[in-house]
Amino acid sequence: EAQVTQNPRYLITVTGKKLTVTCSQNMNHEYMSWYRQDPGLGLRQIYYSMNVEVTDKGDVPEGYKVSRKEKRNFPLILESPSPNQTSLYFCASSLWTGRGTGELFFGEGSRLTVL
Amino acid sequence: LAKTTQPISMDSYEGQEVNITCSHNNIATNDYITWYQQFPSQGPRFIIQGYKTKVTNEVASLFIPADRKSSTLSLPRVSLSDTAVYYCLVVQGAGNKLTFGGGTRVLVKP
């Protein structure tokens, strides 16, 4: 089954404790990206990656890092989480169609709470 | 990047057609328009994508006028299960950064 898998789905942590949210897709997609969703603010892109070792900032990259060492994986790293990073996070992937990003496939989301 | 503007919410009744219009005044020549549906605590799901005129699939139609400064998602004969948030997204043809609009919350009543 084609899917994007995120882990963990739920996490409560404390300020400053480094954490990683993993994202994996089994569709051989070139494009992967991370979003955060907050009430009243919709979906905001954090980082995206066009392919292995190619990453770039989205609209809200501050406080986050990413890496793309393998095509299927795109982890989101919070080096020193702060309470304003409490949010619902989504990973998504798509084929690169040559005319822009194609249909995005989203994961189920990871709800992160930073105390 | 093309910024999108959508109504915040709209109500409808079962069996009616729902039309949601998205404004994207500074859309570029190579950009595409895509719509997503999102249920609470789930990831958005692709509905339809188009470039110009009309696109139709099994769940929706997308109407794009000649100037492409707006687009309208049409959901025919909605049911209660169509209650969701609908996002309009302009996809850059030459870039990879994606900016979602605020979404339209559609409530379908019995």
Side-chain angles (χ1 to χ4, degrees):
Chain A
E1 180 190 352
Q3 60 186 4
V4 177
T5 304
Q6 297 178 223
N7 279 296
R9 294 287 313 281
Y10 302 91
L11 180 64
I12 300 174
T13 189
V14 295
T15 299
K17 186 175 181 181
K18 180 180 178 179
L19 68 91
T20 299
V21 186
T22 63
C23 175
S24 180
Q25 51 93 5
N26 62 1
M27 296 167 279
N28 201 36
H29 286 166
E30 296 88 359
Y31 185 89
M32 297 187 74
S33 54
W34 276 101
Y35 304 84
R36 61 177 290 172
Q37 187 169 39
D38 303 290
L41 295 176
L43 284 153
R44 294 181 291 169
Q45 191 181 52
I46 303 171
Y47 269 95
Y48 61 92
S49 170
M50 274 300 295
N51 216 322
V52 175
E53 302 294 359
V54 181
T55 63
D56 210 342
K57 297 177 181 178
D59 288 322
V60 288
E62 295 78 21
Y64 304 94
K65 285 176 56 177
V66 292
S67 69
R68 188 90 181 274
K69 293 183 169 43
E70 304 167 284
K71 196 172 185 179
R72 64 182 291 126
N73 296 322
F74 190 45
L76 179 70
I77 304 157
L78 286 73
E79 293 273 2
S80 183
S82 61
N84 64 12
Q85 293 178 296
T86 292
S87 187
L88 178 59
Y89 292 87
F90 289 102
C91 178
S93 72
S94 78
L95 286 171
W96 179 250
T97 67
R99 56 173 206 188
T101 307
E103 174 183 347
L104 284 168
F105 291 82
F106 282 83
E108 289 297 308
S110 297
R111 187 168 294 281
L112 171 64
T113 301
V114 183
L115 301 176
Chain B
L1 284 174
K3 179 178 169 60
T4 61
T5 304
Q6 309 172 228
I8 293 174
S9 65
M10 47 195 325
D11 292 354
S12 183
Y13 291 91
E14 281 189 294
Q16 289 189 336
E17 178 181 82
V18 171
N19 295 305
I20 310 170
T21 297
C22 178
S23 171
H24 28 79
N25 290 321
N26 58 339
I27 190 169
T29 302
N30 294 330
D31 293 349
Y32 285 77
I33 299 140
T34 312
W35 285 81
Y36 287 83
Q37 176 192 56
Q38 187 181 26
F39 298 113
S41 298
Q42 293 185 24
R45 186 177 67 177
F46 174 89
I47 301 174
I48 197 165
Q49 183 179 70
Y51 183 78
K52 62 180 179 180
T53 62
K54 177 183 175 181
V55 179
T56 297
N57 62 23
E58 61 275 9
V59 298
S61 294
L62 179 59
F63 300 92
I64 305 168
D67 66 6
R68 301 196 336 117
K69 293 185 183 300
S70 67
S71 58
T72 299
L73 174 72
S74 180
L75 305 171
R77 298 180 298 281
V78 293
S79 63
L80 297 177
S81 63
D82 292 315
T83 292
V85 178
Y86 293 82
Y87 290 96
C88 167
L89 172 67
V90 172
V91 178
Q92 284 186 301
N96 317 299
K97 194 172 180 181
L98 300 178
T99 301
F100 282 82
T104 299
R105 187 174 300 276
V106 172
L107 174 62
V108 180
K109 302 175 183 177

